[in-house]
Amino acid sequence: MFRPVDPTRNLLDIPSLPAPMIEAYLERTAYYAEKLANKSVDRTVLAGKTLLNLFFEPSTRTRTSFEMAAYRLGANIVNWDPEGSASRKGESFTDIIQSLAALRPDGIIIRHAKYNTPHMVAQIVDCPVINAGDSWRAHPTQALADAYTILQRKGRLGGLTIAICGDVAQSRVAACNIALLSRLGATINLIAPPNFLPPTLPQANVAVFTDMDEGIRNADAIIMLHLQKERLDLSAFSDTIGYHHAYGLTHDRLRRCKGDVIVLHPGPLNRGVEIADDVADDPHHSLILQQAANTLPVRMAVLDLLLNA
C-alpha cells in the first residue's frame, strides 16, 4: 500500500526539496507574476486537470489562493468537506484517502493538523501531493512566497539577515522559512521569549535572541508570526499588551533598524499584539499585501511544474 515518495513529484516540505526544484519554483513564480501583471496567463496550462482540496483545518488565505491558482490555469478544483465526510461515521483516514484516490485526481492539496500527514498521503496515492500546512512542521508554499517577496525587493537572499519573530517553536511557517532562507544563503535571527523557541536548531547560520531590539537591529527583513492568543504563557506576560510591549513590532523599533528594512507577516494579523497598525500599513516598510499577492504566482508555479511533469 505504501510506496516511496519522490520529492520532485510532490511538495511536502523544504528539507526534502532538491535545490534545482527550489530554483525552478522561484523562476516559474517570477514568470507567473509577470503574466498576472500583464493579464496574459495561459488559462489552458492545466486544462482537463482536476484537483482535490483536502483541508482538515480551517483556512482562508491558503485555500482561496490554491483555488484561484487552479482556476487561473484552467484546472477544476473539488473542495472536500471533512465535516460532511464518512470520517464522522468512524471511517479511518487511510480508507478515506484510498477511496478519494480511486477517483483518480490529478493532484491533491492537503492541510492537516497531524504531523507529517501529507507525506503519508503521498505514500498512498498515485498523483502529486502538495502540503498546504501540517501541524507545526511545514508550510512550503508560504516559505516560497516569503522568499520570492524578499527577492523582489532586495534582489538577493544570500548575505541578508532575516529576523523571524514570534512563536517560532510551533510555527510551520517559521520552520519552512528557516530551512529555505538559510539554504539560499541568508542568516536567520530567531526572536522570541524562551518558551517560544525551538529546543534545537538544525542550521548553523541561525542565531537566537530573547531581546526584540537586539534581534532586529541589523535585519534586512523581519517576518512577524501570528500569535495564537489562547497559547499565550501568562506566567511570562500578564496579557497581550505585555507581549506587545516586549515583542510587538512598532515604528519606534523600526527606527532602530536599517533604513530599508522590510516587514512581512503571513497572516492572520493580530494588530496591536505582534504588530502595530501603523507598521502593518506602512507604505515604505510593509510588504504584507505584496506577500499575500505573491502566494498566487507561487501556487500557480507549483501546480504547473508538478501536474505537467
Side-chain angles (χ1 to χ4, degrees), residues 31 72 218:
Y31 168 81
R72 293 282 190 185
N218 295 317

Side-chain angles (χ1 to χ4, degrees), residues 23 27 71 82 84 112 148 182-183 186 188 200-201 204 214 219 226 239 250 259 278 280 283 295 299:
E23 296 174 6
E27 288 175 4
Y71 290 139
H112 203 284
Y148 181 70
S182 61
R183 282 183 69 180
I188 310 298
T200 59
L201 299 174
E214 184 182 357
H226 169 73
D239 52 26
T250 63
D278 54 357
T295 63
R299 286 162 182 150

Side-chain angles (χ1 to χ4, degrees), residues 2-308:
F2 293 98
R3 57 172 62 89
V5 175
D6 182 353
T8 66
R9 192 167 181 258
N10 305 277
L11 179 55
L12 303 176
D13 51 39
I14 297 299
S16 67
L17 197 59
M21 286 298 294
I22 294 175
E23 296 174 6
Y25 284 139
L26 291 174
E27 288 175 4
R28 192 61 61 93
T29 295
Y31 168 81
Y32 277 120
E34 182 178 358
K35 291 293 184 181
L36 286 166
N38 296 334
K39 298 182 179 180
S40 58
V41 175
D42 181 357
R43 294 178 179 267
T44 67
V45 170
L46 295 182
K49 306 282 188 182
T50 300
L51 287 158
L52 269 177
N53 238 0
L54 306 184
F55 276 70
F56 289 83
E57 284 186 315
S59 171
T60 300
R61 294 162 181 78
T62 302
R63 176 170 163 170
T64 302
S65 178
F66 269 115
E67 288 177 10
M68 290 191 67
Y71 290 139
R72 293 282 190 185
L73 296 176
N76 300 307
I77 193 159
V78 176
N79 288 307
W80 179 83
D81 179 12
E83 291 301 314
S85 75
S87 62
R88 305 285 289 183
K89 302 177 182 179
E91 186 175 19
S92 74
F93 178 79
T94 299
D95 285 337
I96 290 172
I97 295 301
Q98 287 181 313
S99 297
L100 293 173
L103 301 175
R104 302 189 65 80
D106 297 290
I108 292 175
I109 302 160
I110 182 167
R111 169 172 284 193
H112 203 284
K114 290 187 178 179
Y115 185 93
N116 218 21
T117 296
H119 189 275
M120 187 266 278
V121 172
Q123 292 178 298
I124 297 174
V125 304
D126 189 26
C127 66
V129 174
I130 300 165
N131 184 358
D134 75 286
S135 181
W136 47 265
R137 191 187 73 90
H139 196 353
T141 56
Q142 183 63 58
L144 288 166
D146 295 352
Y148 181 70
T149 303
I150 297 169
L151 276 170
Q152 278 184 309
R153 175 63 66 90
K154 299 293 185 178
R156 63 188 174 94
L157 288 166
L160 296 183
T161 297
I162 300 173
I164 301 177
C165 181
D167 189 358
V168 177
Q170 300 199 51
S171 169
R172 53 194 171 207
V173 173
C176 270
N177 269 323
I178 293 167
L180 180 60
L181 297 172
S182 61
R183 282 183 69 180
L184 296 174
T187 296
I188 310 298
N189 289 354
L190 300 182
I191 309 165
N195 56 317
F196 284 1
L197 288 167
T200 59
L201 299 174
Q203 281 78 25
N205 53 336
V206 177
V208 173
F209 299 85
T210 56
D211 182 278
M212 178 77 165
D213 296 317
E214 184 182 357
I216 66 174
R217 182 171 293 118
N218 295 317
D220 298 285
I222 303 170
I223 302 175
M224 301 302 298
L225 302 174
H226 169 73
L227 180 70
Q228 299 178 52
K229 296 180 184 179
E230 66 276 8
R231 293 190 58 258
L232 191 63
D233 186 348
L234 297 182
S235 67
F237 306 99
S238 59
D239 52 26
T240 55
I241 296 174
Y243 182 88
H244 182 71
H245 179 75
Y247 291 99
L249 189 59
T250 63
H251 261 127
D252 183 57
R253 285 197 159 107
L254 277 185
R255 281 191 285 270
R256 306 174 195 179
C257 300
K258 292 181 178 178
D260 61 348
V261 67
I262 57 175
V263 176
L264 293 84
H265 192 310
L269 279 71
N270 286 316
R271 291 172 177 261
V273 182
E274 69 259 11
I275 190 167
D277 280 337
D278 54 357
V279 174
D281 301 327
D282 186 288
H284 304 292
H285 296 290
S286 175
L287 298 185
I288 293 172
L289 291 180
Q290 184 175 333
Q291 176 189 12
N294 283 338
T295 63
L296 180 57
V298 161
R299 286 162 182 150
M300 290 171 69
V302 168
L303 293 178
D304 180 2
L305 290 175
L306 289 181
L307 271 65
N308 281 323

